Amino acid sequence: MPITKAEYLLSAPDLSICPDDDKPEIGFAGRSNVGKSSVINALTRRKKLAHTSNTPGKTRSLNYYLIDDLWYLVDMPGYGYAKISRKEQSRWGREMKRYLLERKQLQLVVVLIDIRHQPGVLDREFLLWLGEHQIPFCVVLNKSDKISKNKLPHRKKNVQTLLDEMNIEVPVFIVSAQQPESMNELQSFIMDFAHISR
Ligand SMILES: Nc1nc2c(ncn2[C@@H]2O[C@H](COP(=O)(O)OP(=O)(O)O)[C@@H](O)[C@H]2O)c(=O)[nH]1
Ligand SMILES: [Mg+2]
């Protein structure tokens, strides 16, 4: 069932500002510029719900969107943005780890990776870290419109092999933020996984 209602709720620079109710939440994570905000817009069929940008590194907070009055979609700060200071990066790293480890309402992390490239060091570290801490996640390969269709299965296989090597068993989806219908499978998975029903 398509999402009918989606609204921006708040921007949390740290955990103390997160909503204090118990609605399930789904975090969207990944490298800066991988398309987190665009995928959120495509999922919710909104053009400008989440702010997208060609200038990476803009999201410095956890941005909360309330979906169908039932659950939260959380746009997380991207990693790998070189232009912020080391100090700022490590502060963010700490805060994000705290969020991922301590936030009880967090049901699932959606890790976005650019389908055109082999997952980078930061992606691999992040995937391993999630695996080690048994944080539920799935992998979403975005920007599939940017490569030819016959290459898609091969790219997916590559990522699955990498996950196998890490002893991680999670679903892998292929999407394009430019093709909203490519979100249907991911959306169903999220709703089922987090037991969200209307
Ligand atoms: N062609 C194409 N461009 C995309 C896709 N997803 C995101 N983009 C573009 O990539 C850039 C970064 O997207 P954004 O959502 O701001 O990335 P974020 O930093 O991860 O939130 C923007 O210029 C988007 O228009 C996609 O699936 N296909
Ligand atoms: Mg963004």
Side-chain angles (χ1 to χ4, degrees), residues 36-37 51-52 59 75:
K36 293 176 293 300
S37 305
H51 185 73
T52 62
T59 315
D75 195 358

Side-chain angles (χ1 to χ4, degrees), residues 113-121 123-124 155 158-159 162:
I113 293 174
D114 191 324
I115 197 163
R116 293 171 297 173
H117 314 295
Q118 195 66 359
V121 178
D123 296 316
R124 280 176 285 160
R155 304 302 314 170
N158 270 353
V159 173
L162 179 73

Side-chain angles (χ1 to χ4, degrees), residues 33-38 52-54 142-143 145-146 177-178:
N33 226 31
V34 67
K36 293 176 293 300
S37 305
S38 306
T52 62
S53 153
N54 284 316
N142 186 35
K143 308 201 182 184
D145 59 288
K146 294 244 192 188
Q178 292 192 346

